[in-house]
Protein backbone atom coordinates (compact mmCIF):
# COMPACT_ATOMS: atom_id res chain seq x y z
CA UNK A 1 0.00 0.00 0.00
CA UNK A 2 2.68 2.53 0.87
CA UNK A 3 5.89 2.17 -1.10
CA UNK A 4 9.30 3.22 0.09
CA UNK A 5 9.33 5.94 -2.56
CA UNK A 6 6.70 8.11 -0.91
CA UNK A 7 3.85 7.12 -3.24
CA UNK A 8 0.36 6.15 -2.22
CA UNK A 9 -2.47 4.43 -4.06
CA UNK A 10 -4.01 7.67 -5.29
CA UNK A 11 -0.65 9.15 -6.31
CA UNK A 12 -0.14 11.40 -3.31
CA UNK A 13 3.01 11.62 -1.25
CA UNK A 14 2.99 10.53 2.36
CA UNK A 15 2.52 14.06 3.64
CA UNK A 16 0.14 15.41 1.00
CA UNK A 17 -3.45 16.37 1.63
CA UNK A 18 -6.29 15.62 -0.73
CA UNK A 19 -8.06 18.38 -2.62
CA UNK A 20 -9.55 20.71 -0.03
CA UNK A 21 -12.40 23.19 -0.50
CA UNK A 22 -13.33 25.70 2.17
CA UNK A 23 -16.23 28.12 2.16
CA UNK A 24 -17.50 30.29 4.98
CA UNK A 25 -20.87 31.86 5.72
CA UNK A 26 -22.96 29.10 4.18
CA UNK A 27 -25.77 29.03 6.75
CA UNK A 28 -27.39 32.36 7.45
CA UNK A 29 -29.11 31.47 10.74
CA UNK A 30 -25.77 31.19 12.49
CA UNK A 31 -23.28 33.77 13.70
CA UNK A 32 -20.47 32.01 11.82
CA UNK A 33 -20.30 28.94 9.63
CA UNK A 34 -17.92 27.08 7.37
CA UNK A 35 -18.04 24.12 5.04
CA UNK A 36 -14.94 22.03 4.37
CA UNK A 37 -14.62 19.28 1.78
CA UNK A 38 -11.45 17.20 2.01
CA UNK A 39 -11.55 14.63 -0.78
CA UNK A 40 -14.81 12.79 -0.04
CA UNK A 41 -15.05 13.95 3.57
CA UNK A 42 -17.53 16.81 3.98
CA UNK A 43 -18.04 18.72 7.22
CA UNK A 44 -20.31 21.67 8.01
CA UNK A 45 -19.74 23.76 11.16
CA UNK A 46 -22.20 26.33 12.51
CA UNK A 47 -21.46 28.62 15.46
CA UNK A 48 -24.19 30.31 17.44
CA UNK A 49 -23.35 32.84 20.15
CA UNK A 50 -25.67 33.03 23.12
CA UNK A 51 -25.50 34.88 26.40
CA UNK A 52 -24.99 32.66 29.43
CA UNK A 53 -23.54 32.55 32.91
CA UNK A 54 -19.78 32.12 33.20
CA UNK A 55 -18.32 29.04 34.85
CA UNK A 56 -17.80 29.51 38.60
CA UNK A 57 -14.06 28.68 38.49
CA UNK A 58 -13.33 31.26 35.79
CA UNK A 59 -15.81 34.12 36.19
CA UNK A 60 -14.11 36.45 33.70
CA UNK A 61 -14.09 34.11 30.72
CA UNK A 62 -16.65 32.89 28.23
CA UNK A 63 -16.56 29.32 26.91
CA UNK A 64 -17.22 27.09 23.93
CA UNK A 65 -19.62 24.14 23.78
CA UNK A 66 -19.13 21.47 21.16
CA UNK A 67 -21.63 19.11 19.63
CA UNK A 68 -20.78 16.71 16.84
CA UNK A 69 -23.68 15.29 14.88
CA UNK A 70 -22.71 12.20 12.89
CA UNK A 71 -25.64 12.30 10.56
CA UNK A 72 -27.13 9.34 8.76
CA UNK A 73 -26.21 11.07 5.49
CA UNK A 74 -22.65 9.91 5.95
CA UNK A 75 -23.41 6.22 6.33
CA UNK A 76 -26.58 4.26 7.21
CA UNK A 77 -24.91 2.94 10.36
CA UNK A 78 -25.28 6.39 11.90
CA UNK A 79 -29.06 6.23 11.76
CA UNK A 80 -30.90 6.82 15.00
CA UNK A 81 -28.39 6.58 17.83
CA UNK A 82 -25.70 4.81 15.84
CA UNK A 83 -23.54 7.88 15.40
CA UNK A 84 -23.61 8.95 19.05
CA UNK A 85 -20.48 7.08 20.10
CA UNK A 86 -18.32 8.57 17.39
CA UNK A 87 -19.87 11.96 18.02
CA UNK A 88 -19.01 11.83 21.73
CA UNK A 89 -15.43 10.79 20.98
CA UNK A 90 -14.97 13.62 18.50
CA UNK A 91 -16.52 16.25 20.75
CA UNK A 92 -14.45 15.30 23.82
CA UNK A 93 -11.26 15.70 21.79
CA UNK A 94 -12.48 19.02 20.43
CA UNK A 95 -13.12 20.28 23.96
CA UNK A 96 -9.54 19.45 24.90
CA UNK A 97 -8.07 21.10 21.84
CA UNK A 98 -10.16 24.26 21.49
CA UNK A 99 -11.81 25.16 24.75
CA UNK A 100 -8.88 26.70 26.56
CA UNK A 101 -7.60 30.23 26.91
CA UNK A 102 -4.45 29.56 24.89
CA UNK A 103 -6.34 28.70 21.72
CA UNK A 104 -9.19 31.17 21.83
CA UNK A 105 -9.18 34.44 23.73
CA UNK A 106 -11.92 33.51 26.20
CA UNK A 107 -11.60 36.77 28.12
CA UNK A 108 -12.94 38.67 25.13
CA UNK A 109 -16.11 36.62 25.43
CA UNK A 110 -16.85 37.99 28.88
CA UNK A 111 -19.54 40.67 29.19
CA UNK A 112 -19.86 41.19 32.96
CA UNK A 113 -17.61 39.18 35.24
CA UNK A 114 -19.46 36.41 37.11
CA UNK A 115 -22.80 37.41 35.57
CA UNK A 116 -22.90 37.35 31.80
CA UNK A 117 -20.64 35.98 29.13
CA UNK A 118 -20.84 34.79 25.57
CA UNK A 119 -21.15 31.06 25.09
CA UNK A 120 -20.22 29.88 21.61
CA UNK A 121 -22.12 26.75 20.62
CA UNK A 122 -20.02 25.07 17.96
CA UNK A 123 -22.10 22.49 16.09
CA UNK A 124 -20.30 20.16 13.75
CA UNK A 125 -22.29 18.27 11.15
CA UNK A 126 -20.65 15.31 9.43
CA UNK A 127 -22.06 14.93 5.97
CA UNK A 128 -19.71 12.47 4.36
CA UNK A 129 -17.01 10.30 5.95
CA UNK A 130 -13.98 9.25 4.04
CA UNK A 131 -11.32 9.29 6.71
CA UNK A 132 -9.45 12.09 8.40
CA UNK A 133 -12.38 13.57 10.27
CA UNK A 134 -10.30 15.41 12.88
CA UNK A 135 -8.36 17.45 10.34
CA UNK A 136 -11.40 18.47 8.37
CA UNK A 137 -13.33 19.37 11.53
CA UNK A 138 -10.50 21.44 12.98
CA UNK A 139 -10.03 23.39 9.75
CA UNK A 140 -13.76 23.99 9.56
CA UNK A 141 -13.85 25.19 13.17
CA UNK A 142 -10.96 27.56 12.59
CA UNK A 143 -12.66 28.95 9.47
CA UNK A 144 -16.00 29.27 11.25
CA UNK A 145 -14.42 31.05 14.23
CA UNK A 146 -12.77 33.46 11.81
CA UNK A 147 -16.17 34.06 10.21
CA UNK A 148 -18.04 34.50 13.52
CA UNK A 149 -19.55 37.90 14.10
CA UNK A 150 -20.63 38.41 17.70
CA UNK A 151 -22.96 41.38 18.19
CA UNK A 152 -21.74 44.10 20.49
CA UNK A 153 -23.56 44.56 23.77
CA UNK A 154 -24.23 47.66 25.81
CA UNK A 155 -24.89 47.24 29.48
CA UNK A 156 -27.17 49.79 30.99
CA UNK A 157 -28.07 50.07 34.65
CA UNK A 158 -31.72 50.88 35.29
CA UNK A 159 -33.23 52.73 38.27
CA UNK A 160 -33.31 49.76 40.65
CA UNK A 161 -29.69 48.96 39.95
CA UNK A 162 -30.46 45.89 37.84
CA UNK A 163 -28.32 45.43 34.74
CA UNK A 164 -29.92 45.35 31.33
CA UNK A 165 -28.20 44.00 28.30
CA UNK A 166 -28.90 45.59 24.96
CA UNK A 167 -27.71 44.12 21.73
CA UNK A 168 -26.60 46.63 19.18
CA UNK A 169 -29.21 47.20 16.45
CA UNK A 170 -26.69 47.61 13.67
CA UNK A 171 -26.05 44.19 12.09
CA UNK A 172 -22.54 45.26 11.09
CA UNK A 173 -21.56 46.39 14.57
CA UNK A 174 -19.94 43.20 15.74
CA UNK A 175 -16.92 41.79 17.41
CA UNK A 176 -14.63 39.38 15.61
CA UNK A 177 -12.51 36.67 17.19
CA UNK A 178 -8.75 36.47 16.97
CA UNK A 179 -7.92 33.09 15.47
CA UNK A 180 -4.13 33.31 15.26
CA UNK A 181 -3.65 30.88 18.12
CA UNK A 182 -6.37 28.43 17.13
CA UNK A 183 -4.66 25.12 16.41
CA UNK A 184 -5.26 22.73 13.55
CA UNK A 185 -5.35 19.00 14.09
CA UNK A 186 -3.15 16.71 12.03
CA UNK A 187 -3.83 12.98 12.04
CA UNK A 188 -0.96 10.68 11.19
CA UNK A 189 -1.64 6.99 10.57
CA UNK A 190 1.05 4.39 10.82
CA UNK A 191 0.82 2.13 7.80
CA UNK A 192 3.56 -0.49 7.68
CA UNK A 193 6.82 1.25 8.43
CA UNK A 194 5.79 4.69 7.34
CA UNK A 195 3.28 7.22 8.51
CA UNK A 196 0.77 9.00 6.26
CA UNK A 197 -1.08 12.26 6.61
CA UNK A 198 -4.73 12.53 5.59
CA UNK A 199 -5.55 8.85 5.34
CA UNK A 200 -8.65 7.71 3.47
CA UNK A 201 -10.91 5.06 4.98
CA UNK A 202 -9.06 2.40 3.00
CA UNK A 203 -5.68 3.47 4.31
CA UNK A 204 -7.04 3.72 7.84
CA UNK A 205 -8.24 0.12 7.62
CA UNK A 206 -4.65 -0.94 6.88
CA UNK A 207 -3.10 1.16 9.60
CA UNK A 208 -1.94 -0.05 12.98
CA UNK A 209 -2.67 3.08 14.98
CA UNK A 210 -2.88 6.84 14.52
CA UNK A 211 -1.57 9.86 16.29
CA UNK A 212 -3.61 13.05 16.57
CA UNK A 213 -1.58 16.22 17.04
CA UNK A 214 -2.91 19.72 17.33
CA UNK A 215 -0.45 22.34 16.12
CA UNK A 216 -0.68 26.12 16.25
CA UNK A 217 0.60 28.60 13.71
CA UNK A 218 3.88 29.03 15.55
CA UNK A 219 4.50 25.30 15.53
CA UNK A 220 3.59 24.73 19.18
CA UNK A 221 2.00 21.41 19.90
CA UNK A 222 -1.02 21.77 22.17
CA UNK A 223 -2.42 18.26 22.32
CA UNK A 224 -1.20 14.78 21.39
CA UNK A 225 -3.33 11.68 21.45
CA UNK A 226 -2.91 8.16 20.21
CA UNK A 227 -5.99 6.42 18.85
CA UNK A 228 -6.49 3.01 17.41
CA UNK A 229 -6.12 -0.55 18.52
CA UNK A 230 -2.48 -1.23 17.69
CA UNK A 231 0.60 -0.13 19.58
CA UNK A 232 3.31 2.28 18.53
CA UNK A 233 6.94 2.27 19.61
CA UNK A 234 8.37 5.49 21.06
CA UNK A 235 10.62 6.20 18.08
CA UNK A 236 7.73 6.23 15.63
CA UNK A 237 5.80 8.51 17.94
CA UNK A 238 8.71 10.94 17.95
CA UNK A 239 9.03 10.77 14.16
CA UNK A 240 5.30 11.24 13.67
CA UNK A 241 5.24 14.17 16.08
CA UNK A 242 7.98 15.92 14.14
CA UNK A 243 6.22 15.28 10.84
CA UNK A 244 2.91 16.41 12.29
CA UNK A 245 4.46 19.63 13.55
CA UNK A 246 5.89 20.34 10.13
CA UNK A 247 2.66 19.60 8.24
CA UNK A 248 0.48 21.41 10.76
CA UNK A 249 2.58 24.55 10.74
CA UNK A 250 2.39 24.64 6.94
CA UNK A 251 -1.41 24.43 7.01
CA UNK A 252 -2.09 27.68 8.80
CA UNK A 253 -0.63 30.32 6.51
CA UNK A 254 -2.52 29.33 3.32
CA UNK A 255 -5.72 28.87 5.33
CA UNK A 256 -5.60 32.37 6.82
CA UNK A 257 -4.71 33.82 3.45
CA UNK A 258 -7.71 32.11 1.84
CA UNK A 259 -10.06 33.24 4.60
CA UNK A 260 -8.88 36.82 4.37
CA UNK A 261 -9.23 36.74 0.61
CA UNK A 262 -12.80 35.46 0.91
CA UNK A 263 -13.57 38.12 3.50
CA UNK A 264 -12.17 40.92 1.35
CA UNK A 265 -14.60 40.05 -1.45
CA UNK A 266 -17.33 41.04 0.98
CA UNK A 267 -20.79 41.30 -0.54
CA UNK A 268 -19.52 40.68 -4.07
CA UNK A 269 -18.68 37.08 -3.21
CA UNK A 270 -20.87 34.54 -4.95
CA UNK A 271 -22.06 32.11 -2.33
CA UNK A 272 -21.84 28.63 -3.75
CA UNK A 273 -22.57 26.31 -0.86
CA UNK A 274 -23.75 22.92 -2.15
CA UNK A 275 -24.97 24.26 -5.47
CA UNK A 276 -21.53 24.48 -7.06
CA UNK B 1 -45.01 39.94 14.65
CA UNK B 2 -48.02 41.90 15.90
CA UNK B 3 -48.98 44.57 13.45
CA UNK B 4 -47.37 42.88 10.45
CA UNK B 5 -49.97 41.89 7.94
CA UNK B 6 -49.57 38.53 6.33
CA UNK B 7 -51.35 39.79 3.23
CA UNK B 8 -51.42 43.49 2.51
CA UNK B 9 -54.30 45.29 0.78
CA UNK B 10 -52.39 45.36 -2.50
CA UNK B 11 -52.00 41.59 -2.32
CA UNK B 12 -48.35 41.39 -1.21
CA UNK B 13 -47.07 39.06 1.48
CA UNK B 14 -44.37 39.67 4.11
CA UNK B 15 -41.54 38.86 1.74
CA UNK B 16 -43.05 40.70 -1.21
CA UNK B 17 -44.53 37.70 -3.00
CA UNK B 18 -48.02 37.49 -4.39
CA UNK B 19 -50.48 35.04 -2.87
CA UNK B 20 -49.87 32.18 -5.31
CA UNK B 21 -46.19 32.78 -5.90
CA UNK B 22 -43.65 30.16 -4.85
CA UNK B 23 -40.23 30.91 -3.40
CA UNK B 24 -37.16 30.55 -5.58
CA UNK B 25 -36.22 26.88 -5.96
CA UNK B 26 -32.59 25.97 -6.61
CA UNK B 27 -31.40 22.40 -6.61
CA UNK B 28 -28.50 20.17 -7.44
CA UNK B 29 -28.32 16.40 -7.75
CA UNK B 30 -25.35 14.13 -7.08
CA UNK B 31 -23.88 16.27 -4.31
CA UNK B 32 -22.15 13.38 -2.54
CA UNK B 33 -20.24 10.72 -4.39
CA UNK B 34 -20.32 8.09 -1.64
CA UNK B 35 -24.09 7.78 -1.33
CA UNK B 36 -26.19 5.96 -3.91
CA UNK B 37 -28.20 9.10 -4.55
CA UNK B 38 -28.08 12.60 -3.12
CA UNK B 39 -29.61 15.99 -3.73
CA UNK B 40 -29.55 19.47 -2.25
CA UNK B 41 -32.55 21.75 -2.58
CA UNK B 42 -33.16 25.34 -1.52
CA UNK B 43 -36.60 26.83 -1.47
CA UNK B 44 -36.20 30.46 -0.43
CA UNK B 45 -34.25 30.32 2.82
CA UNK B 46 -35.07 26.72 3.66
CA UNK B 47 -32.24 24.37 2.71
CA UNK B 48 -32.42 20.60 2.76
CA UNK B 49 -30.00 17.82 1.92
CA UNK B 50 -31.37 14.40 1.00
CA UNK B 51 -29.36 11.20 0.72
CA UNK B 52 -30.55 7.80 -0.47
CA UNK B 53 -28.90 4.45 0.17
CA UNK B 54 -30.26 1.40 -1.55
CA UNK B 55 -31.86 -0.78 -2.52
CA UNK B 56 -29.77 -3.04 -0.32
CA UNK B 57 -30.24 -5.97 2.01
CA UNK B 58 -32.32 -5.36 5.12
CA UNK B 59 -30.17 -4.11 7.96
CA UNK B 60 -30.91 -5.24 11.46
CA UNK B 61 -33.72 -7.72 11.97
CA UNK B 62 -34.56 -9.94 9.01
CA UNK B 63 -38.10 -10.21 10.26
CA UNK B 64 -38.84 -6.71 8.98
CA UNK B 65 -38.33 -7.85 5.39
CA UNK B 66 -41.43 -7.95 3.19
CA UNK B 67 -41.59 -10.84 0.79
CA UNK B 68 -43.07 -8.92 -2.12
CA UNK B 69 -41.69 -5.39 -1.89
CA UNK B 70 -38.95 -3.21 -0.48
CA UNK B 71 -39.09 -1.54 2.93
CA UNK B 72 -38.65 2.21 2.83
CA UNK B 73 -36.85 3.63 5.84
CA UNK B 74 -36.81 7.39 6.32
CA UNK B 75 -35.15 9.63 8.82
CA UNK B 76 -35.83 13.32 9.12
CA UNK B 77 -33.43 15.40 11.17
CA UNK B 78 -32.57 19.04 11.55
CA UNK B 79 -29.12 20.48 12.04
CA UNK B 80 -28.80 22.03 15.49
CA UNK B 81 -28.00 25.40 13.95
CA UNK B 82 -30.87 25.30 11.46
CA UNK B 83 -33.41 27.21 13.51
CA UNK B 84 -33.14 30.70 14.98
CA UNK B 85 -33.05 29.19 18.48
CA UNK B 86 -30.46 26.44 18.73
CA UNK B 87 -32.00 22.99 18.73
CA UNK B 88 -30.56 20.64 21.32
CA UNK B 89 -31.22 17.31 19.65
CA UNK B 90 -31.02 16.87 15.88
CA UNK B 91 -33.51 14.00 15.82
CA UNK B 92 -35.32 11.62 18.14
CA UNK B 93 -37.92 14.08 19.33
CA UNK B 94 -41.60 13.61 18.55
CA UNK B 95 -41.77 16.04 15.67
CA UNK B 96 -38.85 14.45 13.83
CA UNK B 97 -40.28 10.97 14.30
CA UNK B 98 -43.64 12.15 12.99
CA UNK B 99 -42.01 13.77 9.95
CA UNK B 100 -40.04 10.59 9.26
CA UNK B 101 -43.27 8.59 9.23
CA UNK B 102 -44.88 11.09 6.87
CA UNK B 103 -41.94 10.87 4.51
CA UNK B 104 -42.14 7.08 4.61
CA UNK B 105 -45.83 7.18 3.78
CA UNK B 106 -45.25 9.63 0.93
CA UNK B 107 -42.53 7.62 -0.72
CA UNK B 108 -44.23 4.29 -0.32
CA UNK B 109 -46.91 5.69 -2.60
CA UNK B 110 -44.47 6.76 -5.28
CA UNK B 111 -41.51 4.37 -5.34
CA UNK B 112 -42.06 1.11 -7.22
CA UNK B 113 -41.18 -1.05 -4.28
CA UNK B 114 -42.52 -4.26 -5.78
CA UNK B 115 -39.45 -4.39 -8.01
CA UNK B 116 -37.18 -5.00 -5.01
CA UNK B 117 -38.64 -7.65 -2.71
CA UNK B 118 -36.91 -8.37 0.62
CA UNK B 119 -34.70 -5.28 0.39
CA UNK B 120 -34.51 -1.86 2.00
CA UNK B 121 -34.27 1.67 0.69
CA UNK B 122 -32.99 4.33 3.13
CA UNK B 123 -33.91 7.97 2.64
CA UNK B 124 -32.22 10.42 5.00
CA UNK B 125 -33.12 14.08 4.92
CA UNK B 126 -31.33 16.81 6.81
CA UNK B 127 -32.57 20.37 7.15
CA UNK B 128 -29.61 22.75 7.12
CA UNK B 129 -31.62 25.93 7.46
CA UNK B 130 -35.24 26.16 8.45
CA UNK B 131 -37.51 28.92 7.20
CA UNK B 132 -40.91 27.30 6.88
CA UNK B 133 -42.25 24.53 4.67
CA UNK B 134 -39.81 21.97 6.09
CA UNK B 135 -41.87 18.96 5.08
CA UNK B 136 -42.34 20.15 1.48
CA UNK B 137 -38.68 20.97 0.98
CA UNK B 138 -37.75 17.55 2.36
CA UNK B 139 -40.08 15.75 -0.03
CA UNK B 140 -38.82 17.73 -3.02
CA UNK B 141 -35.18 17.12 -2.11
CA UNK B 142 -35.83 13.43 -1.45
CA UNK B 143 -37.54 13.02 -4.85
CA UNK B 144 -34.42 14.32 -6.57
CA UNK B 145 -32.21 12.07 -4.45
CA UNK B 146 -34.28 8.99 -5.27
CA UNK B 147 -34.07 9.85 -8.97
CA UNK B 148 -30.32 10.34 -8.60
CA UNK B 149 -30.06 6.89 -7.04
CA UNK B 150 -31.77 5.43 -10.09
CA UNK B 151 -34.66 3.92 -8.14
CA UNK B 152 -37.79 3.73 -10.34
CA UNK B 153 -40.72 5.89 -9.25
CA UNK B 154 -44.23 6.21 -10.61
CA UNK B 155 -43.96 9.97 -10.88
CA UNK B 156 -42.21 12.94 -9.29
CA UNK B 157 -43.41 13.62 -5.76
CA UNK B 158 -43.86 17.33 -5.23
CA UNK B 159 -45.01 18.91 -2.02
CA UNK B 160 -46.12 22.33 -0.94
CA UNK B 161 -47.45 23.95 2.22
CA UNK B 162 -50.33 26.35 1.73
CA UNK B 163 -52.15 28.60 4.16
CA UNK B 164 -55.44 30.41 4.24
CA UNK B 165 -55.54 34.09 5.17
CA UNK B 166 -58.33 36.62 4.49
CA UNK B 167 -60.21 34.30 2.15
CA UNK B 168 -57.06 33.86 0.03
CA UNK B 169 -54.89 30.77 -0.18
CA UNK B 170 -51.16 31.56 0.19
CA UNK B 171 -48.80 29.13 -1.52
CA UNK B 172 -45.45 28.05 -0.05
CA UNK B 173 -45.46 29.47 3.46
CA UNK B 174 -42.35 30.84 5.09
CA UNK B 175 -41.66 30.58 8.82
CA UNK B 176 -43.17 33.95 9.72
CA UNK B 177 -46.41 33.00 7.99
CA UNK B 178 -46.49 29.50 9.47
CA UNK B 179 -46.10 30.78 13.01
CA UNK B 180 -48.83 33.40 12.55
CA UNK B 181 -52.52 32.60 12.81
CA UNK B 182 -52.68 30.76 9.53
CA UNK B 183 -54.47 27.49 8.84
CA UNK B 184 -51.79 25.58 6.99
CA UNK B 185 -52.10 22.47 4.91
CA UNK B 186 -49.27 20.28 3.61
CA UNK B 187 -49.86 18.35 0.43
CA UNK B 188 -47.70 15.87 -1.48
CA UNK B 189 -48.78 15.27 -5.03
CA UNK B 190 -47.90 12.97 -7.92
CA UNK B 191 -48.49 15.63 -10.59
CA UNK B 192 -49.08 13.62 -13.75
CA UNK B 193 -52.04 11.68 -12.46
CA UNK B 194 -53.08 14.28 -9.91
CA UNK B 195 -52.85 11.68 -7.12
CA UNK B 196 -52.40 12.94 -3.57
CA UNK B 197 -49.77 11.00 -1.61
CA UNK B 198 -50.12 12.88 1.66
CA UNK B 199 -52.50 15.48 2.99
CA UNK B 200 -52.08 16.98 6.42
CA UNK B 201 -53.73 19.82 8.21
CA UNK B 202 -53.70 20.67 11.93
CA UNK B 203 -55.75 23.83 12.10
CA UNK B 204 -59.37 24.92 11.98
CA UNK B 205 -60.74 25.67 8.57
CA UNK B 206 -64.28 26.06 7.35
CA UNK B 207 -65.40 23.19 5.18
CA UNK B 208 -66.31 25.52 2.29
CA UNK B 209 -62.73 26.70 1.98
CA UNK B 210 -61.15 23.25 1.90
CA UNK B 211 -61.62 22.68 -1.80
CA UNK B 212 -60.09 26.04 -2.74
CA UNK B 213 -57.14 25.36 -0.51
CA UNK B 214 -56.51 21.92 -1.97
CA UNK B 215 -56.79 23.33 -5.49
CA UNK B 216 -54.24 26.03 -4.67
CA UNK B 217 -51.91 23.40 -3.19
CA UNK B 218 -52.20 21.21 -6.27
CA UNK B 219 -51.40 24.14 -8.57
CA UNK B 220 -48.38 25.04 -6.46
CA UNK B 221 -47.15 21.42 -6.51
CA UNK B 222 -47.46 21.30 -10.28
CA UNK B 223 -45.33 24.46 -10.41
CA UNK B 224 -42.68 22.77 -8.27
CA UNK B 225 -42.75 19.66 -10.46
CA UNK B 226 -41.84 21.76 -13.51
CA UNK B 227 -38.78 23.09 -11.69
CA UNK B 228 -37.74 19.63 -10.50
CA UNK B 229 -38.14 18.23 -14.01
CA UNK B 230 -35.90 21.00 -15.34
CA UNK B 231 -33.24 20.18 -12.71
CA UNK B 232 -33.28 16.49 -13.58
CA UNK B 233 -32.97 17.13 -17.30
CA UNK B 234 -30.14 19.59 -16.71
CA UNK B 235 -28.32 17.05 -14.56
CA UNK B 236 -28.76 14.34 -17.17
CA UNK B 237 -27.47 16.65 -19.88
CA UNK B 238 -24.38 17.49 -17.83
CA UNK B 239 -23.75 13.81 -17.13
CA UNK B 240 -24.07 12.85 -20.79
CA UNK B 241 -21.70 15.64 -21.82
CA UNK B 242 -19.13 14.28 -19.38
CA UNK B 243 -19.45 10.73 -20.70
CA UNK B 244 -19.20 12.05 -24.24
CA UNK B 245 -22.59 11.04 -25.59
Amino acid sequence: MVCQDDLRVDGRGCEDYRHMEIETDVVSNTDGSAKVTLGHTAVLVGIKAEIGKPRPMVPDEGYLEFFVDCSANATPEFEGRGGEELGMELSTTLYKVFNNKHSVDLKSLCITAAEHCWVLYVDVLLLQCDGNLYDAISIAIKAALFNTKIPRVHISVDEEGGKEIELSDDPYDCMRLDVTNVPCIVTLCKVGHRHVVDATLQEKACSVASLIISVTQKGTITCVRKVGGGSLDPESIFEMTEAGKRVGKALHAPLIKLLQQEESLGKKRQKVGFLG
Amino acid sequence: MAGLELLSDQGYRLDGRKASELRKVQARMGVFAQADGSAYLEQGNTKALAVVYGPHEIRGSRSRALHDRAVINCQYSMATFSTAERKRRPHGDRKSTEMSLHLKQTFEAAVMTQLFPRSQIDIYVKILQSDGGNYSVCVNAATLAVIDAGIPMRDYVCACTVGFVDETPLADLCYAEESGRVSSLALALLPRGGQIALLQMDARLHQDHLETLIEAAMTACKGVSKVLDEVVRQHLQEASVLTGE
Side-chain angles (χ1 to χ4, degrees):
Chain A
M1 165 127 310
V2 177
C3 315
Q4 306 294 62
D5 346 296
D6 196 24
L7 187 68
R8 284 147 88 171
V9 173
D10 47 10
R12 286 185 287 156
C14 286
E15 292 185 3
D16 290 338
Y17 273 91
R18 286 170 283 181
H19 176 73
M20 201 188 304
E21 285 179 15
I22 304 171
E23 196 185 344
T24 55
D25 209 17
V26 271
V27 181
S28 52
N29 260 347
T30 54
D31 296 305
S33 59
K35 171 178 162 277
V36 169
T37 319
L38 182 59
H40 281 309
T41 303
V43 163
L44 182 60
V45 169
I47 298 185
K48 273 182 165 326
E50 285 180 22
I51 298 184
K53 211 164 151 77
R55 297 229 168 101
M57 303 286 275
V58 274
D60 59 343
E61 286 179 1
Y63 56 97
L64 280 77
E65 286 273 356
F66 290 91
F67 178 70
V68 179
D69 179 12
C70 298
S71 70
N73 288 29
T75 154
E77 276 119 35
F78 289 161
E79 191 191 338
R81 306 192 70 159
E84 266 182 36
E85 210 184 293
L86 179 63
M88 286 294 293
E89 194 192 318
L90 289 167
S91 60
T92 25
T93 314
L94 292 175
Y95 268 111
K96 286 207 173 70
V97 173
F98 292 102
N99 192 23
N100 58 68
K101 56 179 191 277
H102 302 290
S103 310
V104 179
D105 185 12
L106 296 175
K107 285 203 173 16
S108 65
L109 294 176
C110 177
I111 305 172
T112 322
E115 278 181 35
H116 303 285
C117 71
W118 284 111
V119 181
L120 293 182
Y121 288 98
V122 182
D123 295 312
V124 180
L125 179 58
L126 279 186
L127 294 169
Q128 248 199 138
C129 279
D130 190 23
N132 209 18
L133 294 173
Y134 282 104
D135 296 34
I137 292 176
S138 70
I139 293 173
I141 292 180
K142 183 160 180 159
L145 284 171
F146 179 88
N147 181 241
T148 307
K149 298 179 173 65
I150 302 177
R152 280 199 208 278
V153 283
H154 304 287
I155 304 169
S156 53
V157 185
D158 61 17
E159 301 91 48
E160 292 121 38
K163 293 210 174 101
E164 241 186 60
I165 298 189
E166 283 168 24
L167 285 177
S168 149
D169 282 333
D170 183 3
Y172 294 107
D173 181 20
C174 50
M175 175 178 84
R176 300 294 288 270
L177 289 171
D178 177 28
V179 296
T180 38
N181 287 330
V182 174
C184 272
I185 300 179
V186 179
T187 311
L188 294 119
C189 293
K190 186 141 171 83
V191 179
H193 293 295
R194 300 203 56 155
H195 53 262
V196 292
V197 169
D198 190 18
T200 59
L201 271 183
Q202 274 184 336
E203 288 168 337
K204 189 112 188 285
C206 305
S207 78
V208 165
S210 330
L211 202 66
I212 294 171
I213 302 170
S214 76
V215 188
T216 62
Q217 196 166 4
K218 298 195 190 91
T220 331
I221 295 181
T222 58
C223 174
V224 178
R225 220 186 199 199
K226 177 219 163 265
V227 291
S231 49
L232 296 168
D233 57 279
E235 250 180 54
S236 357
I237 293 190
F238 180 69
E239 248 177 58
M240 285 158 88
T241 317
E242 287 300 306
K245 206 160 104 174
R246 206 176 344 130
V247 172
K249 201 167 164 190
L251 258 184
H252 287 272
L255 175 64
I256 293 286
K257 191 161 140 228
L258 174 73
L259 292 173
Q260 280 167 347
Q261 216 173 21
E262 222 189 9
E263 172 97 16
S264 65
L265 286 174
K267 288 219 179 100
K268 284 181 274 166
R269 174 164 75 104
Q270 289 264 0
K271 290 202 186 157
V272 172
F274 290 95
L275 291 169
Chain B
M1 284 288 139
L4 275 171
E5 284 179 355
L6 291 172
L7 189 68
S8 74
D9 300 321
Q10 291 86 29
Y12 290 107
R13 291 153 74 171
L14 285 173
D15 47 10
R17 286 184 284 154
K18 288 277 193 186
S20 58
E21 212 177 308
L22 298 172
R23 289 178 287 184
K24 183 174 182 190
V25 177
Q26 287 179 293
R28 185 158 167 259
M29 292 166 66
V31 182
F32 295 134
Q34 279 193 317
D36 291 327
S38 57
Y40 170 77
L41 188 127
E42 273 183 33
Q43 204 164 324
N45 279 334
T46 306
K47 301 178 180 164
L49 202 56
V51 167
V52 170
Y53 286 97
H56 55 73
E57 207 184 328
I58 296 253
R59 247 185 19 257
S61 56
R62 291 285 171 83
S63 57
R64 283 196 303 143
L66 297 169
H67 69 279
D68 60 343
R69 55 188 203 276
V71 171
I72 296 192
N73 176 38
C74 293
Q75 189 184 274
Y76 166 90
S77 72
M78 296 177 74
T80 39
F81 44 75
S82 58
T83 45
E85 280 241 357
R86 183 175 173 264
K87 221 171 147 9
R88 278 170 177 278
R89 289 182 68 187
H91 54 260
D93 54 315
R94 275 229 303 256
K95 184 159 171 283
S96 303
T97 325
E98 193 192 339
M99 282 282 211
S100 309
L101 287 174
H102 287 156
L103 283 171
K104 183 181 152 93
Q105 184 191 332
T106 313
F107 282 95
E108 269 173 0
V111 173
M112 300 178 86
T113 47
Q114 67 274 20
L115 294 173
F116 309 107
R118 279 181 283 270
S119 51
Q120 182 176 330
I121 299 174
D122 295 316
I123 302 177
Y124 301 124
V125 193
K126 191 106 191 147
I127 296 265
L128 298 178
Q129 199 173 294
S130 165
D131 185 32
N134 285 350
Y135 168 75
S136 335
V137 180
C138 281
V139 167
N140 297 334
T143 304
L144 289 179
V146 170
I147 293 175
D148 189 47
I151 298 175
M153 287 212 287
R154 289 189 184 87
D155 196 356
Y156 288 101
V157 190
C158 307
C160 193
T161 318
V162 291
F164 202 77
V165 166
D166 290 346
E167 315 283 312
T168 327
L170 301 180
D172 198 6
L173 301 175
C174 64
Y175 182 72
E177 290 165 340
E178 262 181 7
S179 48
R181 296 174 322 269
V182 178
S183 325
S184 69
L185 177 137
L187 185 100
L189 184 77
L190 278 71
R192 220 174 294 166
Q195 305 282 317
I196 297 179
L198 183 126
L199 176 74
Q200 195 198 326
M201 175 164 205
D202 308 300
R204 277 167 43 156
L205 183 75
H206 198 282
Q207 199 179 328
D208 297 342
H209 301 312
L210 187 62
E211 204 176 317
T212 340
L213 201 56
I214 294 184
E215 279 297 324
M218 286 176 73
T219 320
C221 288
K222 290 199 174 115
V224 173
S225 79
K226 284 201 192 74
V227 179
L228 295 184
D229 191 44
E230 194 49 56
V231 171
V232 173
R233 284 175 202 279
Q234 175 79 17
H235 177 75
L236 190 60
Q237 203 173 28
E238 280 170 13
S240 59
V241 161
L242 284 172
T243 53
E245 276 155 40

